[in-house]
Amino acid sequence: MTLCRGCCCGTARKHPQVDHDGQLDQLRHGVGAADRVRRSECLNVCDRSNVLVVQPTPAARRAGARPVWLAEVLDPVVLAAVADWVRAGGPGAAPLPPSLRPHVMPAPRWGPLRGRGGAGR
């Protein structure tokens, strides 16, 4: 799983009511393996922050599963649902929990990246 942090997502400037470090800790603790949660400096979908991408397992990927992009993940209850889903197998291995459906967003289609922030900024 990749959690956007740095530019807009994960900053008190944009979401002062959210404990961004606490979110990262909750996910790392919730999935049971800290190495399964990575931080990205910017995923270039700042208008949908906080964004995270849940990767399928290698076996699920070979079977055709694709990453699932989740937007506006600001609530600890939503983070708990993400962690539960990942522990159950995630994309392609476990059904998407109904509580996460409103957060699913299409994967962005980026053009050539321009500068530090990339396209779409």
Side-chain angles (χ1 to χ4, degrees):
M1 162 179 352
T2 303
L3 184 63
C4 190
R5 288 291 183 261
C7 178
C8 297
C9 293
T11 66
R13 183 180 77 248
K14 188 162 186 175
H15 299 290
Q17 77 285 6
V18 175
D19 177 0
H20 300 283
D21 290 334
Q23 280 190 327
L24 186 60
D25 291 342
Q26 181 182 353
L27 284 171
R28 285 184 170 155
H29 178 75
V31 299
D35 63 334
R36 293 182 68 184
V37 180
R38 295 182 305 241
R39 296 172 56 137
S40 170
E41 192 63 31
C42 186
L43 293 173
N44 294 315
V45 284
C46 301
D47 58 325
R48 304 295 308 272
S49 70
N50 285 349
V51 174
L52 63 90
V53 182
V54 182
Q55 301 288 338
T57 64
R61 184 71 182 220
R62 284 189 297 276
R66 294 292 173 253
V68 174
W69 287 67
L70 300 171
E72 298 155 3
V73 179
L74 300 166
D75 186 302
V77 173
V78 174
L79 289 168
V82 171
D84 290 346
W85 182 43
V86 169
R87 277 196 321 275
L96 181 74
S99 63
L100 295 181
R101 286 188 190 128
H103 298 276
V104 173
M105 65 176 275
R109 294 180 168 264
W110 294 301
L113 294 180
R114 296 183 297 269
R116 179 185 157 336
R121 305 263 316 267

